[in-house]
Amino acid sequence: MERTEIIVQLKAIVGDAYVSDAPEDLFIYSRDQGVQEPHLPDGVVMPGSASEVVSIIRFAGRENIPVVPMGGGLVLSGLTVPLKGGLVLDMKRMNRILEVNESSHYAVVEAGTSQGMLDAYLRKHHPQLKHSLPDAPPAATIAGNIAIHGSGHLSQSEGGFHSEMVTGLEVVLPTGELVKLGSCSTVPAWFSRAPLPDLAGLFLGWNGTTGVITKVGIKLFPRPKYHDVLVYMTEDIDLAPMVLGRVIGTSMAEDINYALAPKPDYLRGFQMTVVNFTANTEEELAFKRKTLRSVMKDLYETRDSGFMPVPPNMKAGFLEAPQKALSKFADVRKGGGFEYVGAIMPIERIPDACRAGMEITARHGITYSLGARIIGRGNAAMFFFAYPFNRVDMDEVERVKKALEETNETALALGGIPWKTEVQGQQAILRQMEPGTYALMKRIRAVLDPAGIMNPGNWEVA
Ligand SMILES: Cc1cc2nc3c(=O)[nH]c(=O)nc-3n(C[C@H](O)[C@H](O)[C@H](O)COP(=O)(O)OP(=O)(O)OC[C@H]3O[C@@H](n4cnc5c(N)ncnc54)[C@H](O)[C@@H]3O)c2cc1C
């Protein structure tokens, strides 16, 4: 079908205002902030409802047109870049918060609802509740984040990856059927995925290659009244697993982050473990502070390390969620280029990951921020190797590209798995994957998406 006819058909579904093939729009949707090659879509369409998504997907399926779902478009690794052309399905119009259940602690939102919208809504209408926020800019969406197994400021204390906090999904399959998954499939409430067979996993971590998520049930958690932070500093990279293990062992930290960067100059060579903790009373806060300090006592008495007094302006930054420091760092080279390898890895590999990150960046002459967020009470860490760059400096872009490729390989060699990784990283994972798992992924893709229209090129199992 000719592009003009495709646009006419899409306008009939969503209205004239919500479809575009204007060159300037296609340009914007052809790229992201990372180093991946741009690819032009044939059109951009913004559905306003699940039934419009159904109509778009049915039309795309009939005409064999690729469809790339997109939320905030902030994933950085090209996962919303339409590798094989077709349509970008921009979900941002579907941003209604449909329900907040104060008793059973969950919210139901449309897929395009942003992290910032849900956070602001809860603060205003349900101030006793909060959800786990990634440190991504607030325009990142709830669905885009769970579609890649994101994590955030409650991932350490409240159950792991954000995909594990999903209580139910509504999804449009690549063949155009609308399905509900979790308790909402059987009773009119979105409280849990169990005890039913867990079909939600077919859409979590699949980068939009198995269907379009249209609604999400997501866990909420109590918002304690008091909040404080401790920062533990050391120059000894090998101390990290022990420091982190001690903090995790107290079960008192809400969020635990580890960071290492060459700037500012006075912090060069130091690693920080930033421990956020919360409480309902001042006494509880004081008790947690005392306990967290006491488990480190023998370490700061015997090893070159200790708690850093945190000045008020620095403290304000550590206490905020999302942490804006990473967004600021993302543009430190100016020119708006930023990409990171986030590798999910065992905590004991953090020192080797730090060394590898410093070695790779030194060899390619690029700057970096390295660090980790603890996931699920210490089951894993999301270790980030973050590389900002100036997009107009093509030499720097090339060096960052090579560094990212090597970092993906290094992460795998260290026993980690690159997260939300670009196509090359996905292929490296698939090459190393156990053949039975690979074959199962292939069968699932073929059953769910026989026409191969959903975000083709990603998680491509040949
Ligand atoms: C400074 C900075 C800090 C960050 N910190 C974090 C962090 O702490 N934790 C974290 O998890 N991430 C972080 N990120 C990465 C990323 O921005 C987030 O994960 C973000 O939540 C992705 O959501 P999005 O709406 O932008 O997704 P998009 O980029 O729009 O999409 C991501 C993937 O999901 C798919 N997708 C999107 N919507 C749907 C849908 N409705 N149905 C099916 N598939 C869909 C897309 O096709 C794509 O494959 C950070 C990014 C930056 C720039």
Side-chain angles (χ1 to χ4, degrees), residues 69 71-75 79 134-136 140-141 145 148 150-151 207-208 211 213 340 419:
L74 287 160
V75 72
L79 305 185
D135 286 327
T141 62
N145 188 256
I148 56 165
S151 57
N207 304 350
I213 300 166
Y340 65 95
W419 156 67

Side-chain angles (χ1 to χ4, degrees), residues 15-333:
D16 290 3
Y18 301 113
V19 184
S20 177
D21 65 344
E24 58 275 24
D25 290 331
L26 300 188
F27 175 88
I28 293 288
Y29 283 90
S30 70
R31 61 199 61 228
D32 69 9
Q33 304 88 327
V35 296
Q36 302 310 311
E37 292 298 318
H39 290 269
L40 280 174
D42 296 303
V44 180
V45 54
M46 297 185 80
S49 66
S51 61
E52 287 182 4
V53 175
V54 167
S55 302
I56 294 165
I57 294 294
R58 287 202 172 139
F59 166 68
R62 274 196 310 274
E63 298 299 328
N64 237 332
I65 303 169
V67 178
V68 179
M70 174 181 170
L74 287 160
V75 72
L76 306 170
S77 41
L79 305 185
T80 59
V81 170
L83 300 174
K84 306 206 172 163
L87 303 173
V88 174
L89 188 75
D90 184 331
M91 299 295 287
K92 287 187 202 67
R93 279 179 71 212
M94 292 179 58
N95 62 7
R96 287 179 307 153
I97 294 166
L98 302 169
E99 184 191 349
V100 170
N101 187 316
E102 285 201 353
S103 312
S104 293
H105 288 190
Y106 66 81
V108 184
V109 301
E110 285 188 320
T113 303
S114 72
Q115 303 287 346
M117 281 173 186
L118 181 59
D119 186 46
Y121 185 87
L122 291 173
R123 282 177 189 279
K124 186 166 178 192
H125 300 287
H126 308 274
Q128 74 281 26
L129 292 173
K130 60 181 175 179
H131 77 292
S132 182
L133 282 158
D135 286 327
T141 62
I142 304 283
N145 188 256
I146 58 157
I148 56 165
H149 287 312
S151 57
H153 84 302
L154 300 179
S155 286
Q156 194 278 143
S157 54
E158 301 287 7
F161 294 97
H162 291 160
S163 43
E164 296 174 83
M165 299 178 186
V166 167
T167 60
L169 290 179
E170 181 188 84
V171 179
V172 177
L173 302 179
T175 39
E177 298 96 337
L178 185 80
V179 294
K180 283 185 171 174
L181 308 168
S183 59
C184 63
S185 68
T186 309
V187 293
W190 290 64
F191 51 85
S192 173
R193 277 149 67 182
L196 302 169
D198 192 6
L199 298 173
L202 294 172
F203 306 92
L204 302 171
W206 285 82
N207 304 350
T209 58
T210 48
V212 182
I213 300 166
T214 46
K215 290 193 187 91
V216 183
I218 190 92
K219 286 185 186 173
L220 303 177
F221 303 96
R223 189 192 295 274
K225 203 165 154 197
Y226 297 93
H227 186 182
D228 205 353
V229 68
L230 285 168
V231 178
Y232 199 77
M233 304 284 288
T234 170
E235 279 184 289
D236 180 355
I237 285 186
D238 291 307
L239 214 54
M242 193 186 287
V243 170
L244 293 165
R246 299 273 178 104
V247 177
I248 295 162
T250 64
S251 293
M252 287 189 181
E254 183 175 270
D255 190 16
I256 308 172
N257 288 280
Y258 170 84
L260 158 67
K263 292 274 175 194
D265 287 336
Y266 60 87
L267 288 178
R268 187 192 296 250
F270 286 98
Q271 301 107 58
M272 288 191 226
T273 300
V274 180
V275 183
N276 275 266
F277 56 105
T278 53
N280 286 308
T281 63
E282 285 187 24
E283 293 74 29
E284 187 190 354
L285 198 73
F287 175 70
K288 286 188 171 174
R289 189 183 301 113
K290 195 173 159 205
T291 308
L292 285 161
R293 292 183 70 91
S294 70
V295 292
M296 296 301 189
K297 195 162 184 295
D298 64 308
L299 273 191
Y300 61 70
E301 282 175 350
T302 58
R303 306 284 286 263
D304 224 359
S305 65
F307 284 100
M308 178 182 106
V310 189
N313 58 340
M314 208 173 177
K315 191 176 220 180
F318 285 137
L319 291 179
E320 66 190 8
Q323 296 259 327
K324 294 193 193 78
L326 195 54
S327 290
K328 282 191 195 137
F329 171 75
D331 200 28
V332 75
R333 296 284 300 129

